[in-house]
Amino acid sequence: MKTSNSQTAPQPPRIVPTLIAGFDVITKHIGLILFPVGLDMLIWLMPHLRMKNMIDAWTAKVFQPISDTSDMAQIASSAQEIWTFMAERFNLLITLRSYPVGIPSLMVSNLPLRFPGGEPLLIEIPSLGVALLLAGFLTLVGIICGALYFAFVAKAVIHDEIRLLKTLSTWPQVSLQIILLTLVWLAILLGICVPASCSISFLIMVGISVGPIAIFIFGGLLLWLAFPLLFSPHGIFVNQDSMWASVKKSVQIIRMTLPTTATFFISIGLLSQGLDMLWRIPADDSWLMLISVVGHAFVSTGFLSASFIYYQKADEWVQNMMEKIDQMESEAEAVA
């Protein structure tokens, strides 16, 4: 009796069971949420590294001449208020939340000014050069710590255990690959932003109003280029692939599973945004914010775990389909 291929072949990943399985993994290894909890507590309670004096001086120089003219007074005033609000809340520690690999954080979007019982110490950064050096250093630290966080979650998914010593031994190599991947993402972003900003500036100079159209085109182009790379970190952690091998596999997997993968990421995005509205309800100086921090950490880590499970199943399905395609081509050549 022959067994059909459909009975033994891996099935395409399904979204809801994958999400449930991801949260099951984190429930078994709840200690993994300490990474995002720790980052949030650091941003919330530690001294804030601010650039308020520099931003205020820049806005005064830029917007004060404009505000002298009656036509632009309201626009300049509104813009200056926005920059002043950002200067009040901005904390350079948020650069610890690196991309595409990093530890998720609720406080990066909240930018709190108070904590229960008081206010954090405010440290003004003296110059733009110091700010850039600090931002670069903190981003590098965020990438390296994020690589460890991703590695622990991946090990929990693959082996159902953390494997501390094994993970720590591969941490330096994995971090190097993630740093290279971050540079590739940065190069792609700059490759889009620089020509786009030059084109938009030129069109504005010649008197063509392209605001909404330009934003739509820019967003669509960025999404079109970035979406195939969403799984580019996963191969590094799951299969110990090199950066380029992981990027190529990400493009292949997403290309062959596009409808399901798009639905998967859209579902995660919508659920994350909806729950973030819930996490932001408590005030910055309320102890209830601790519940939000823990809840956000659990959900974010669960989604990351689900993405690794989805990646594994999608990779198995794609490889099986590629083998079938190769087999069909070989049979066709033999018949010919």
Side-chain angles (χ1 to χ4, degrees):
M1 181 177 177
K2 294 184 179 180
T3 303
S4 63
N5 291 336
S6 62
Q7 292 176 322
T8 59
Q11 297 297 311
R14 293 184 298 166
I15 295 174
V16 174
T18 299
L19 292 173
I20 294 173
F23 282 96
D24 284 343
V25 170
I26 302 308
T27 302
K28 294 178 183 177
H29 305 282
I30 196 66
L32 292 171
I33 72 171
L34 291 178
F35 280 89
V37 169
L39 179 57
D40 274 335
M41 298 303 289
L42 180 68
I43 296 173
W44 191 19
L45 304 178
M46 291 296 288
H48 288 193
L49 305 179
R50 302 205 305 175
M51 301 168 58
K52 186 177 185 303
N53 292 341
M54 280 188 287
I55 295 175
D56 286 345
W58 176 80
T59 55
K61 183 183 296 184
V62 171
F63 295 110
Q64 189 62 43
I66 299 175
S67 62
D68 292 339
T69 63
S70 57
D71 294 339
M72 299 294 294
Q74 187 174 0
I75 297 176
S77 177
S78 299
Q80 192 167 10
E81 288 178 4
I82 293 172
W83 278 103
T84 301
F85 176 81
M86 292 174 59
E88 287 284 346
R89 288 186 166 267
F90 181 76
N91 179 6
L92 200 62
L93 287 177
I94 66 173
T95 55
L96 286 168
R97 174 53 172 116
S98 56
Y99 295 92
V101 170
I103 301 172
S105 169
L106 177 64
M107 294 300 170
V108 166
S109 57
N110 273 19
L111 295 176
L113 289 176
R114 296 179 58 85
F115 56 76
E119 298 178 356
L121 177 66
L122 304 177
I123 300 176
E124 281 290 335
I125 300 173
S127 66
L128 181 60
V130 174
L132 291 175
L133 287 175
L134 278 173
F137 173 74
L138 292 173
T139 300
L140 182 61
V141 172
I143 293 171
I144 294 172
C145 294
L148 183 62
Y149 168 66
F150 270 57
F152 277 136
V153 175
K155 287 291 187 293
V157 167
I158 298 169
H159 305 292
D160 199 23
E161 58 182 351
I162 298 299
R163 295 192 175 183
L164 178 62
L165 295 179
K166 177 66 175 177
T167 303
L168 292 176
S169 66
T170 60
W171 183 22
Q173 180 182 358
V174 167
S175 297
L176 177 60
Q177 297 300 317
I178 294 303
I179 291 172
L180 294 175
L181 179 63
T182 303
L183 293 175
V184 170
W185 277 65
L186 181 61
I188 293 173
L189 183 62
L190 291 176
I192 298 172
C193 291
V194 173
S197 60
C198 292
S199 301
I200 293 171
S201 299
F202 173 77
L203 292 173
I204 292 175
M205 287 175 62
V206 299
I208 301 176
S209 178
V210 292
I213 299 175
I215 294 174
F216 178 78
I217 295 174
F218 173 76
L221 182 61
L222 190 62
L223 181 62
W224 179 69
L225 289 175
F227 189 75
L229 302 178
L230 289 178
F231 280 134
S232 55
H234 289 62
I236 297 173
F237 296 101
V238 174
N239 304 317
Q240 286 72 55
D241 291 334
S242 66
M243 184 270 293
W244 283 117
S246 184
V247 167
K248 289 189 287 187
K249 185 171 289 186
S250 174
V251 173
Q252 181 188 52
I253 289 174
I254 291 180
R255 179 173 59 87
M256 295 188 66
T257 63
L258 183 58
T260 306
T261 301
T263 305
F264 177 73
F265 280 113
I266 290 172
S267 300
I268 287 181
L270 293 175
L271 289 171
S272 296
Q273 291 300 313
L275 289 171
D276 281 354
M277 294 174 64
L278 175 64
W279 307 138
R280 295 191 186 104
I281 291 176
D284 295 344
D285 56 354
S286 170
W287 287 111
L288 291 175
M289 181 59 74
L290 286 174
I291 299 176
S292 295
V293 167
V294 174
H296 178 268
F298 178 77
V299 170
S300 300
T301 308
F303 284 149
L304 178 62
S305 172
S307 74
F308 278 113
I309 295 172
Y310 184 95
Y311 176 85
Q312 280 188 296
K313 293 182 178 180
D315 187 26
E316 291 176 2
W317 184 79
V318 167
Q319 296 307 318
N320 181 267
M321 294 302 297
M322 294 298 294
E323 290 176 3
K324 287 185 176 182
I325 292 172
D326 291 340
Q327 183 180 358
M328 292 173 61
E329 290 178 349
S330 299
E331 292 175 354
E333 289 176 359
V335 170

